[in-house]
Amino acid sequence: MGENKKNIFIYLAAVSFSILLIFLALFIGSSQINPADITAYLLNRSAVSASTAIIIGEIRLPRIILAFMVGAGLAVAGSVFQAIIRNPMVDPYIIGISAGAGTGVMLALFLGIEIAIFNFSSLPAFAFLGAVATVFTVYQLARVGNKLPVLTFLLAGVAMSFILNSLMSFLMVLRTENLQQLVYWLMGSLAGADWDDVRMITPYFLTALAVIVFYLKDLNILLLGEESAAHLGLNVERTKIILLGAASLMTAAVVSVSGSIGFIGLVVPHIARLIIGPDHRRLIPLAALFGASFLLIADTAARTIMAPMELPVGIITALAGGPYFIYLLRNKSKNIW
């Protein structure tokens, strides 16, 4: 019972902190909004001036919600990849999946292919195709027989990431009319986020999340090792393929609107695991909250540190995540599973 109370306290603290961050992000910016106006808007939109309503409702609020979805999505996807590979140094950015998703989007934009089906944009679908192709390629490059050496997997992912980032840079050179916007997107940015972006990724985000939640118990079984999981009756290969597909879809959906934002999927699951343990039924919700809060802090910093100029948020997350990755490398022998 004591453990349950501790976990409830952790979740309540994480939710409370997230709510506080949302309020602060609505307040902080090049045009500061009176906290009373924020409260009035949330209670009754017509209670504030038209300009204040536009700043809060059309500029800052969709960006905050998108930051939450992107941060949570990357953290959840990172947790899944780490469980499947059974290594805390794996994340969508490092193993090239973010680059694969970004390449899919960049190719679609370069070729002018964008289809709206039932008001849902096809860009996340192209991102998903790029992400899945990257996962498959990295997996095949790293596999030795029926085994998947972690170091080889990481190196193959880094190599694919270099290749795909170079391809995206080449496409950017060929399409110079939106070069600055593309550079910001490549470095990871939520600038210009609007409600259309939120609506575009929501169905893909929720579909991937539903699949991952459904397989949380199987994720825990995978932590025992593939042989032990098979003895317990789990169809290991099918489960891994489904979870890799869901995590790739999650990554693709958020990358399609944010670009390549690194290290959230690496840092956040590791911290959440240290706090609440390896049980994914508890880990995934906390990692989602931490990831959402982390990216919201980073994005708020990115748009205010050098205001009125904005920094790509990917710079902020890399500055925070890079040293942590080095720390993990130095302490890789520590068992946190």
Side-chain angles (χ1 to χ4, degrees):
M1 188 64 181
E3 186 69 20
N4 289 335
K5 287 183 178 180
K6 176 187 173 183
N7 292 337
I8 291 172
F9 174 78
I10 291 172
Y11 289 130
L12 287 177
V15 170
S16 301
F17 184 64
S18 298
I19 294 172
L20 176 62
L21 286 178
I22 291 174
F23 194 83
L24 290 175
L26 287 171
F27 170 70
I28 298 172
S30 55
S31 299
Q32 288 197 351
I33 305 297
N34 190 311
D37 287 339
I38 296 174
T39 304
Y41 175 87
L42 296 176
L43 294 175
N44 180 13
R45 179 174 180 174
S46 61
V48 298
S49 65
S51 60
T52 299
I54 290 174
I55 293 173
I56 296 175
E58 302 301 325
I59 298 176
R60 292 186 184 172
L61 195 57
R63 183 164 179 166
I64 289 169
I65 292 175
L66 200 66
F68 256 65
M69 294 179 72
V70 172
L74 291 174
V76 170
S79 300
V80 173
F81 286 124
Q82 289 176 10
I84 293 173
I85 308 302
R86 300 190 69 240
N87 189 281
M89 293 186 293
V90 175
D91 94 321
Y93 183 80
I94 291 172
I95 60 178
I97 295 175
S98 292
T103 302
V105 172
M106 194 75 78
L107 281 171
L109 293 174
F110 181 78
L111 297 174
I113 304 172
E114 186 174 358
I115 306 169
I117 303 174
F118 301 114
N119 293 323
F120 296 145
S121 171
S122 61
L123 285 182
F126 286 107
F128 176 65
L129 291 175
V132 169
T134 303
V135 170
F136 178 79
T137 303
V138 171
Y139 186 85
Q140 292 301 321
L141 288 173
R143 189 175 64 176
V144 180
N146 292 324
K147 296 183 178 180
L148 188 67
V150 173
L151 181 59
T152 308
F153 186 81
L154 289 173
L155 291 175
V158 170
M160 282 299 299
S161 184
F162 277 125
I163 293 171
L164 293 172
N165 281 321
S166 298
L167 176 59
M168 285 191 284
S169 298
F170 176 68
L171 293 175
M172 287 166 53
V173 171
L174 295 179
R175 186 170 179 168
T176 58
E177 64 270 18
N178 297 317
L179 187 58
Q180 183 176 359
Q181 180 182 0
L182 291 174
V183 167
Y184 266 68
W185 185 88
L186 186 62
M187 298 172 72
S189 176
L190 296 174
D194 56 27
W195 290 114
D196 287 338
D197 293 324
V198 175
R199 285 189 288 267
M200 180 177 74
I201 71 169
T202 295
Y204 304 95
F205 180 92
L206 293 179
T207 299
L209 184 62
V211 173
I212 291 170
V213 169
F214 184 80
Y215 279 88
L216 288 181
K217 182 180 178 181
D218 293 335
L219 268 178
N220 287 338
I221 296 175
L222 283 175
L223 294 182
L224 301 175
E226 294 187 9
E227 187 175 340
S228 298
H231 287 160
L232 290 172
L234 183 68
N235 189 326
V236 175
E237 288 304 314
R238 186 185 69 179
T239 302
K240 286 169 62 177
I241 290 172
I242 291 173
L243 286 169
L244 282 172
S248 298
L249 178 59
M250 179 77 79
T251 303
V254 299
V255 167
S256 68
V257 294
S258 69
S260 298
I261 298 176
F263 295 105
I264 291 178
L266 169 74
V267 174
V268 171
H270 185 73
I271 294 174
R273 195 178 294 111
L274 290 174
I275 292 175
I276 208 161
D279 186 342
H280 286 86
R281 292 170 296 183
R282 299 195 300 264
L283 173 64
I284 291 294
L286 189 64
L289 285 170
F290 280 3
S293 298
F294 178 74
L295 186 57
L296 183 55
I297 292 172
D299 186 54
T300 303
R303 63 183 175 84
T304 56
I305 286 176
M306 299 182 67
M309 185 183 79
E310 283 196 21
L311 292 173
V313 70
I315 293 176
I316 307 296
T317 60
L319 286 173
Y324 200 84
F325 183 61
I326 295 173
Y327 164 77
L328 285 180
L329 285 174
R330 296 283 296 175
N331 294 272
K332 60 182 180 297
S333 61
K334 183 178 180 180
N335 182 16
I336 61 169
W337 301 97

